[in-house]
Amino acid sequence: MVPTKALIPKSLLDFPTPLGLRLHISSLSTPHFASSYTLASTGLLSGSLSYLYTSLPLPSLHAATRSLPLPAFTPTSYRQLHPLRAPDLPWWWEIWRAGRRIDTRDALLYGRLYLPNSTLEALYLRRLSPTSQIKISAVSDSRLPNGGSVLALLAQDKGKWSTEYMYSTDSALLGVRGLYNFGPDPRAAKSNILSPAVEEVSSAALLTSKGNMGSKDRIARLEPEQVSQFSAGAEVYYGLLNKSGGMSTGVRFATLPAHTGFPYTMTVTLNPLMGNLSSSYSVRAGDLLSLSSRFDFNVYSYESEVVMGMELWKLKDGVGRSERQAEGGDGTMERGRRTGALGESDDMGAIAGCLKARIDQRGSVGLLWEGRVKELVYSCGASIDLRGGKDMITGVGLEVQYSS
């Protein structure tokens, strides 16, 4: 959707810096149930309790901090887009036993209570079909109009295009979003007609009949690989109670893993009613370094804003480039360029920490360091105003996470 176009620059330029002291403790009690507790001190003591239930068991999820590498808690901000994937056919999800369908649709429930304000958040997520799901979120707070609000969202993803329909009780807001991906349609591929099991058998038969041609991936590469993806989207919303509406549109160009150079993403969004124009450029300059910049401009007030940010991962002491390239040549760098995702490399356990920094034209600086000490994952950061004189440091904080 249109908001997701800016996920990469937002992660690099709008990351939150901790304020005060905050402690998170989480636990995966069963494959279906998880809980989390937060305690914060920013002059006043506050906290939250949250619980999550999913009908889909998560037996393979390693939730303990001691068994997870740092990128699992602080994923890289630059995430490489992958080629479009055709959605599963409905009959692939059917499970029959003794002539009766026994398959169900997975659902997720989440709730969070903030203390001492007694603000309650709730979320219900359910998969309706291979291409659609519904999400209902609600918040209850006496300080909000009517004591809270409810937001319902129906999402559909067809691979080539996707849509979202939303309704909010706040001002009786109605909205629709749409995203269209230019280029080949993954649903037109011949292999999508078969189920995964049948496709595997067919590929094996093809290999046997034509001799030792290599892997199934080599057969798939008989067609030219797509190296980039151009997408366009728009959203329209209207409030029935306040009789006001709005719209925005945007485009995105991003490289795919087949691109041989550095991965990069460019986005442009426009809100014609408010006159806001925003453009961003993000690049993964190396396997450990990501850069991003954004320029915002209002055609009515002529106000503008420029923000630049970076993300740099640090390896543990003693881990050199020669060790990381031991598998042959400059494979690590090449993998980083092609995938654009640090978490997809073989060096997740070699990461010592991550530094994020940003600065805008007003001299506002944000710094964040994320690392770990044994079984604890921590984040420490500061907000600095270079024009603040003696009061340059506007905020300092530390967050500590532990899960079991």
Side-chain angles (χ1 to χ4, degrees), residues 146 149 167-174 238-244:
N146 302 319
S149 63
Y167 172 77
S168 175
T169 58
D170 187 11
S171 302
L173 184 67
L174 292 171
Y238 182 78
L240 300 178
L241 298 183
N242 53 21
K243 308 297 183 182
S244 64

Side-chain angles (χ1 to χ4, degrees), residues 69-85:
L70 185 62
F73 294 91
T74 58
T76 175
S77 297
Y78 191 97
R79 299 184 181 182
Q80 176 88 63
L81 287 181
H82 291 272
L84 299 178
R85 174 186 175 273

Side-chain angles (χ1 to χ4, degrees), residues 100 160 402:
R100 297 179 57 188
K160 181 72 172 179
Y402 174 79

